[in-house]
Amino acid sequence: MSDAENRAIARERVIESMEQSAEVYGLSRSAGRIYGVLYFATEPLSIPELVEETGYAKSTISNVTRTLTRIGLIHRRSSEGGGRRVQYSAEREIWFILQDVLQQYVQREVQTTLRTVQRAESQLPDGEDGTEAERIAALRGTYEDLQEVITLAADLSAAELREALEEYER
Amino acid sequence: MSDAENRAIARERVIESMEQSAEVYGLSRSAGRIYGVLYFATEPLSIPELVEETGYAKSTISNVTRTLTRIGLIHRRSSEGGGRRVQYSAEREIWFILQDVLQQYVQREVQTTLRTVQRAESQLPDGEDGTEAERIAALRGTYEDLQEVITLAADLSAAELREALEEYER
DNA sequence: CCGTTTATTCGGTACACTCCGAACAAACAA
DNA sequence: TTGTTTGTTCGGAGTGTACCGAATAAACGG
């Protein structure tokens, strides 16, 4: 087998893995493949080029690139050289992406839950210690810890996070 | 408004929030509600009781309780007193649940991705430093950090995790 | 100006998922 | 045994999503 073929196989394996991961993160397989193709591209690609590389329909590429751009997984460089052609490139710092997910989605979810729980708690009769009060208070405690953990983690790099946990072990 | 009504409203709010969370975690709304009802129940509930409390069909309760049990969100106590009746109770330690998710799903996902990336890397021609090799090596690095972080975090309680990050800040 | 290339939007198809109700199976009570 | 209660399984209706192809819009080159 030639070196070029080996490279193509390795690349394809990783892209397939990205398709899989995309599904886990609630995205479509096409999103995983498009991101993967851009991840390995040496220069930004246009929509027609992505059609060529992935085999998906133009409309699919258009829709998926929009959501990927919105999430921050790829970057849109409008019009290289004044042309109409739009160029896309991948955000290759996976950790940045994960931090974004942590901040935009996980933190948001935790925050709204926490607020709901707090509002429910204040709805309860004062000084009550029934089952509801107890259970809701327990929920609030856990979510407060969670929120703090996520807020702190979102400011660290992967290496720093690793270091923080490794140091704590001792 | 009576205290009982206030309690019911607070409980309902939290359960609705759990329905929402369930969707975020890739479960159905019914799963969120069933878990919520069990979370507030003072004693284990049977399937007919869950039908009564949630309004869902018997078959829905049966299917959803199975998946919730498999994931570890609720516990199944077969036959209290030798009867056929099956009893379900909620795992109320949210952090245990999150640890399970971390270990069973996130860690698994990271591990398989890492393995795929490593295999792809070894597939590449030796001593090569083309684009593919570089990009794949970068991926592997990030995922190695990630795996380590998740492994360490899975062993800590929410409070410990919080402490670890707070100590690192200084 | 007109034809070509590029990007978005729209309608439609295929598919998966949620939930329901009915049928079935298993255990108990009489 | 027969009737009743409980739990699971199966088929189907309704819904949402992914993707495609066609129509449309927008920009450029001649």
mmCIF file of all heavy atoms in Angstrom, chain B residues 129-159:
data_model
loop_
_atom_site.group_PDB
_atom_site.id
_atom_site.type_symbol
_atom_site.label_atom_id
_atom_site.label_comp_id
_atom_site.label_asym_id
_atom_site.label_seq_id
_atom_site.Cartn_x
_atom_site.Cartn_y
_atom_site.Cartn_z
ATOM 1 N N ASP B 129 5.797 13.371 8.621
ATOM 2 C CA ASP B 129 5.331 14.577 9.296
ATOM 3 C C ASP B 129 4.453 15.391 8.362
ATOM 4 O O ASP B 129 4.551 16.598 8.270
ATOM 5 C CB ASP B 129 6.509 15.410 9.798
ATOM 6 C CG ASP B 129 7.440 15.804 8.660
ATOM 7 O OD1 ASP B 129 7.378 15.145 7.608
ATOM 8 O OD2 ASP B 129 8.190 16.769 8.827
ATOM 9 N N GLY B 130 3.594 14.691 7.660
ATOM 10 C CA GLY B 130 2.648 15.372 6.769
ATOM 11 C C GLY B 130 1.545 16.018 7.589
ATOM 12 O O GLY B 130 1.565 15.996 8.815
ATOM 13 N N THR B 131 0.598 16.610 6.888
ATOM 14 C CA THR B 131 -0.511 17.270 7.563
ATOM 15 C C THR B 131 -1.281 16.295 8.440
ATOM 16 O O THR B 131 -1.576 16.577 9.599
ATOM 17 C CB THR B 131 -1.475 17.859 6.524
ATOM 18 O OG1 THR B 131 -0.727 18.665 5.622
ATOM 19 C CG2 THR B 131 -2.533 18.695 7.210
ATOM 20 N N GLU B 132 -1.598 15.119 7.879
ATOM 21 C CA GLU B 132 -2.393 14.150 8.629
ATOM 22 C C GLU B 132 -1.724 13.793 9.941
ATOM 23 O O GLU B 132 -2.350 13.782 10.998
ATOM 24 C CB GLU B 132 -2.610 12.868 7.807
ATOM 25 C CG GLU B 132 -3.696 12.942 6.773
ATOM 26 C CD GLU B 132 -3.201 13.533 5.466
ATOM 27 O OE1 GLU B 132 -1.987 13.847 5.390
ATOM 28 O OE2 GLU B 132 -4.013 13.697 4.542
ATOM 29 N N ALA B 133 -0.437 13.482 9.880
ATOM 30 C CA ALA B 133 0.280 13.059 11.088
ATOM 31 C C ALA B 133 0.197 14.131 12.170
ATOM 32 O O ALA B 133 -0.101 13.854 13.331
ATOM 33 C CB ALA B 133 1.735 12.760 10.752
ATOM 34 N N GLU B 134 0.425 15.340 11.768
ATOM 35 C CA GLU B 134 0.409 16.465 12.701
ATOM 36 C C GLU B 134 -0.965 16.631 13.345
ATOM 37 O O GLU B 134 -1.105 16.700 14.566
ATOM 38 C CB GLU B 134 0.765 17.705 11.885
ATOM 39 C CG GLU B 134 0.995 18.970 12.632
ATOM 40 C CD GLU B 134 1.125 20.114 11.634
ATOM 41 O OE1 GLU B 134 1.871 19.962 10.632
ATOM 42 O OE2 GLU B 134 0.433 21.124 11.831
ATOM 43 N N ARG B 135 -1.995 16.628 12.514
ATOM 44 C CA ARG B 135 -3.347 16.861 13.009
ATOM 45 C C ARG B 135 -3.792 15.726 13.931
ATOM 46 O O ARG B 135 -4.434 15.945 14.950
ATOM 47 C CB ARG B 135 -4.338 16.958 11.838
ATOM 48 C CG ARG B 135 -4.013 18.033 10.828
ATOM 49 C CD ARG B 135 -4.695 19.345 11.157
ATOM 50 N NE ARG B 135 -3.995 20.473 10.542
ATOM 51 C CZ ARG B 135 -4.317 21.046 9.389
ATOM 52 N NH1 ARG B 135 -5.361 20.611 8.703
ATOM 53 N NH2 ARG B 135 -3.632 22.065 8.918
ATOM 54 N N ILE B 136 -3.461 14.504 13.522
ATOM 55 C CA ILE B 136 -3.869 13.355 14.331
ATOM 56 C C ILE B 136 -3.134 13.353 15.663
ATOM 57 O O ILE B 136 -3.714 13.055 16.710
ATOM 58 C CB ILE B 136 -3.635 12.036 13.555
ATOM 59 C CG1 ILE B 136 -4.621 11.954 12.385
ATOM 60 C CG2 ILE B 136 -3.787 10.837 14.457
ATOM 61 C CD1 ILE B 136 -4.475 10.728 11.527
ATOM 62 N N ALA B 137 -1.869 13.742 15.639
ATOM 63 C CA ALA B 137 -1.112 13.796 16.890
ATOM 64 C C ALA B 137 -1.724 14.827 17.842
ATOM 65 O O ALA B 137 -1.814 14.591 19.054
ATOM 66 C CB ALA B 137 0.346 14.141 16.609
ATOM 67 N N ALA B 138 -2.154 15.954 17.299
ATOM 68 C CA ALA B 138 -2.778 16.986 18.133
ATOM 69 C C ALA B 138 -4.037 16.442 18.795
ATOM 70 O O ALA B 138 -4.275 16.628 19.990
ATOM 71 C CB ALA B 138 -3.105 18.213 17.288
ATOM 72 N N LEU B 139 -4.846 15.743 18.011
ATOM 73 C CA LEU B 139 -6.068 15.135 18.535
ATOM 74 C C LEU B 139 -5.745 14.189 19.685
ATOM 75 O O LEU B 139 -6.380 14.222 20.731
ATOM 76 C CB LEU B 139 -6.764 14.334 17.435
ATOM 77 C CG LEU B 139 -7.916 14.956 16.682
ATOM 78 C CD1 LEU B 139 -8.578 13.907 15.823
ATOM 79 C CD2 LEU B 139 -8.924 15.545 17.663
ATOM 80 N N ARG B 140 -4.753 13.348 19.456
ATOM 81 C CA ARG B 140 -4.413 12.361 20.471
ATOM 82 C C ARG B 140 -4.022 13.039 21.777
ATOM 83 O O ARG B 140 -4.453 12.638 22.867
ATOM 84 C CB ARG B 140 -3.273 11.462 19.982
ATOM 85 C CG ARG B 140 -2.896 10.381 20.995
ATOM 86 C CD ARG B 140 -1.835 9.440 20.464
ATOM 87 N NE ARG B 140 -0.709 10.122 19.852
ATOM 88 C CZ ARG B 140 0.227 10.794 20.534
ATOM 89 N NH1 ARG B 140 0.174 10.857 21.841
ATOM 90 N NH2 ARG B 140 1.215 11.385 19.888
ATOM 91 N N GLY B 141 -3.221 14.092 21.672
ATOM 92 C CA GLY B 141 -2.809 14.811 22.873
ATOM 93 C C GLY B 141 -3.980 15.298 23.686
ATOM 94 O O GLY B 141 -4.080 15.038 24.887
ATOM 95 N N THR B 142 -4.911 15.971 23.023
ATOM 96 C CA THR B 142 -6.072 16.502 23.727
ATOM 97 C C THR B 142 -6.878 15.387 24.379
ATOM 98 O O THR B 142 -7.296 15.496 25.528
ATOM 99 C CB THR B 142 -6.975 17.285 22.757
ATOM 100 O OG1 THR B 142 -6.207 18.301 22.106
ATOM 101 C CG2 THR B 142 -8.128 17.926 23.510
ATOM 102 N N TYR B 143 -7.077 14.317 23.637
ATOM 103 C CA TYR B 143 -7.899 13.242 24.170
ATOM 104 C C TYR B 143 -7.216 12.514 25.321
ATOM 105 O O TYR B 143 -7.888 12.016 26.221
ATOM 106 C CB TYR B 143 -8.304 12.277 23.053
ATOM 107 C CG TYR B 143 -9.606 12.685 22.421
ATOM 108 C CD1 TYR B 143 -9.662 13.634 21.409
ATOM 109 C CD2 TYR B 143 -10.816 12.164 22.890
ATOM 110 C CE1 TYR B 143 -10.849 14.039 20.857
ATOM 111 C CE2 TYR B 143 -12.024 12.566 22.343
ATOM 112 C CZ TYR B 143 -12.035 13.493 21.336
ATOM 113 O OH TYR B 143 -13.239 13.899 20.804
ATOM 114 N N GLU B 144 -5.891 12.474 25.302
ATOM 115 C CA GLU B 144 -5.194 11.876 26.446
ATOM 116 C C GLU B 144 -5.429 12.708 27.701
ATOM 117 O O GLU B 144 -5.716 12.159 28.772
ATOM 118 C CB GLU B 144 -3.696 11.743 26.142
ATOM 119 C CG GLU B 144 -3.387 10.530 25.280
ATOM 120 C CD GLU B 144 -1.951 10.520 24.793
ATOM 121 O OE1 GLU B 144 -1.239 11.528 25.021
ATOM 122 O OE2 GLU B 144 -1.556 9.523 24.170
ATOM 123 N N ASP B 145 -5.325 14.021 27.563
ATOM 124 C CA ASP B 145 -5.622 14.897 28.699
ATOM 125 C C ASP B 145 -7.057 14.681 29.180
ATOM 126 O O ASP B 145 -7.307 14.508 30.373
ATOM 127 C CB ASP B 145 -5.452 16.366 28.293
ATOM 128 C CG ASP B 145 -3.994 16.812 28.361
ATOM 129 O OD1 ASP B 145 -3.183 16.095 28.975
ATOM 130 O OD2 ASP B 145 -3.671 17.879 27.798
ATOM 131 N N LEU B 146 -7.958 14.680 28.226
ATOM 132 C CA LEU B 146 -9.373 14.513 28.550
ATOM 133 C C LEU B 146 -9.629 13.238 29.333
ATOM 134 O O LEU B 146 -10.332 13.241 30.346
ATOM 135 C CB LEU B 146 -10.171 14.453 27.257
ATOM 136 C CG LEU B 146 -10.997 15.668 26.912
ATOM 137 C CD1 LEU B 146 -11.734 15.428 25.616
ATOM 138 C CD2 LEU B 146 -11.979 15.945 28.032
ATOM 139 N N GLN B 147 -9.063 12.161 28.843
ATOM 140 C CA GLN B 147 -9.281 10.869 29.501
ATOM 141 C C GLN B 147 -8.792 10.912 30.944
ATOM 142 O O GLN B 147 -9.469 10.444 31.861
ATOM 143 C CB GLN B 147 -8.565 9.761 28.737
ATOM 144 C CG GLN B 147 -9.011 8.388 29.190
ATOM 145 C CD GLN B 147 -8.179 7.309 28.573
ATOM 146 O OE1 GLN B 147 -7.000 7.484 28.323
ATOM 147 N NE2 GLN B 147 -8.796 6.179 28.302
ATOM 148 N N GLU B 148 -7.634 11.492 31.128
ATOM 149 C CA GLU B 148 -7.069 11.579 32.479
ATOM 150 C C GLU B 148 -7.983 12.411 33.388
ATOM 151 O O GLU B 148 -8.291 12.012 34.512
ATOM 152 C CB GLU B 148 -5.674 12.215 32.396
ATOM 153 C CG GLU B 148 -4.968 12.343 33.724
ATOM 154 C CD GLU B 148 -4.499 11.013 34.288
ATOM 155 O OE1 GLU B 148 -4.631 9.993 33.578
ATOM 156 O OE2 GLU B 148 -4.035 10.996 35.438
ATOM 157 N N VAL B 149 -8.446 13.538 32.863
ATOM 158 C CA VAL B 149 -9.320 14.412 33.652
ATOM 159 C C VAL B 149 -10.583 13.672 34.074
ATOM 160 O O VAL B 149 -10.996 13.707 35.235
ATOM 161 C CB VAL B 149 -9.684 15.680 32.851
ATOM 162 C CG1 VAL B 149 -10.839 16.421 33.512
ATOM 163 C CG2 VAL B 149 -8.475 16.592 32.717
ATOM 164 N N ILE B 150 -11.181 12.982 33.116
ATOM 165 C CA ILE B 150 -12.430 12.284 33.414
ATOM 166 C C ILE B 150 -12.195 11.161 34.418
ATOM 167 O O ILE B 150 -12.976 10.955 35.346
ATOM 168 C CB ILE B 150 -13.054 11.752 32.131
ATOM 169 C CG1 ILE B 150 -13.524 12.929 31.286
ATOM 170 C CG2 ILE B 150 -14.197 10.808 32.428
ATOM 171 C CD1 ILE B 150 -13.842 12.557 29.879
ATOM 172 N N THR B 151 -11.116 10.430 34.239
ATOM 173 C CA THR B 151 -10.807 9.344 35.170
ATOM 174 C C THR B 151 -10.657 9.874 36.586
ATOM 175 O O THR B 151 -11.204 9.318 37.528
ATOM 176 C CB THR B 151 -9.512 8.640 34.745
ATOM 177 O OG1 THR B 151 -9.658 8.178 33.405
ATOM 178 C CG2 THR B 151 -9.214 7.468 35.654
ATOM 179 N N LEU B 152 -9.932 10.981 36.739
ATOM 180 C CA LEU B 152 -9.731 11.547 38.070
ATOM 181 C C LEU B 152 -11.036 12.093 38.637
ATOM 182 O O LEU B 152 -11.366 11.877 39.803
ATOM 183 C CB LEU B 152 -8.677 12.654 38.010
ATOM 184 C CG LEU B 152 -7.248 12.200 37.699
ATOM 185 C CD1 LEU B 152 -6.315 13.388 37.521
ATOM 186 C CD2 LEU B 152 -6.735 11.290 38.810
ATOM 187 N N ALA B 153 -11.796 12.784 37.800
ATOM 188 C CA ALA B 153 -13.021 13.429 38.274
ATOM 189 C C ALA B 153 -14.054 12.390 38.708
ATOM 190 O O ALA B 153 -14.836 12.630 39.631
ATOM 191 C CB ALA B 153 -13.603 14.325 37.189
ATOM 192 N N ALA B 154 -14.044 11.244 38.065
ATOM 193 C CA ALA B 154 -15.057 10.236 38.352
ATOM 194 C C ALA B 154 -14.903 9.665 39.755
ATOM 195 O O ALA B 154 -15.831 9.068 40.293
ATOM 196 C CB ALA B 154 -14.990 9.120 37.312
ATOM 197 N N ASP B 155 -13.734 9.845 40.352
ATOM 198 C CA ASP B 155 -13.497 9.295 41.684
ATOM 199 C C ASP B 155 -13.819 10.284 42.794
ATOM 200 O O ASP B 155 -13.738 9.939 43.962
ATOM 201 C CB ASP B 155 -12.030 8.859 41.814
ATOM 202 C CG ASP B 155 -11.781 7.562 41.067
ATOM 203 O OD1 ASP B 155 -12.750 6.805 40.870
ATOM 204 O OD2 ASP B 155 -10.625 7.316 40.683
ATOM 205 N N LEU B 156 -14.131 11.523 42.423
ATOM 206 C CA LEU B 156 -14.344 12.536 43.443
ATOM 207 C C LEU B 156 -15.829 12.844 43.625
ATOM 208 O O LEU B 156 -16.624 12.680 42.703
ATOM 209 C CB LEU B 156 -13.611 13.821 43.059
ATOM 210 C CG LEU B 156 -12.094 13.721 42.882
ATOM 211 C CD1 LEU B 156 -11.528 15.061 42.460
ATOM 212 C CD2 LEU B 156 -11.435 13.227 44.152
ATOM 213 N N SER B 157 -16.174 13.312 44.816
ATOM 214 C CA SER B 157 -17.531 13.807 45.048
ATOM 215 C C SER B 157 -17.616 15.223 44.508
ATOM 216 O O SER B 157 -16.604 15.844 44.186
ATOM 217 C CB SER B 157 -17.836 13.796 46.530
ATOM 218 O OG SER B 157 -17.087 14.802 47.174
ATOM 219 N N ALA B 158 -18.836 15.742 44.411
ATOM 220 C CA ALA B 158 -19.019 17.097 43.896
ATOM 221 C C ALA B 158 -18.267 18.096 44.765
ATOM 222 O O ALA B 158 -17.591 18.999 44.259
ATOM 223 C CB ALA B 158 -20.503 17.437 43.849
ATOM 224 N N ALA B 159 -18.364 17.900 46.077
ATOM 225 C CA ALA B 159 -17.698 18.826 46.987
ATOM 226 C C ALA B 159 -16.184 18.751 46.837
ATOM 227 O O ALA B 159 -15.495 19.778 46.833
ATOM 228 C CB ALA B 159 -18.104 18.517 48.428
#
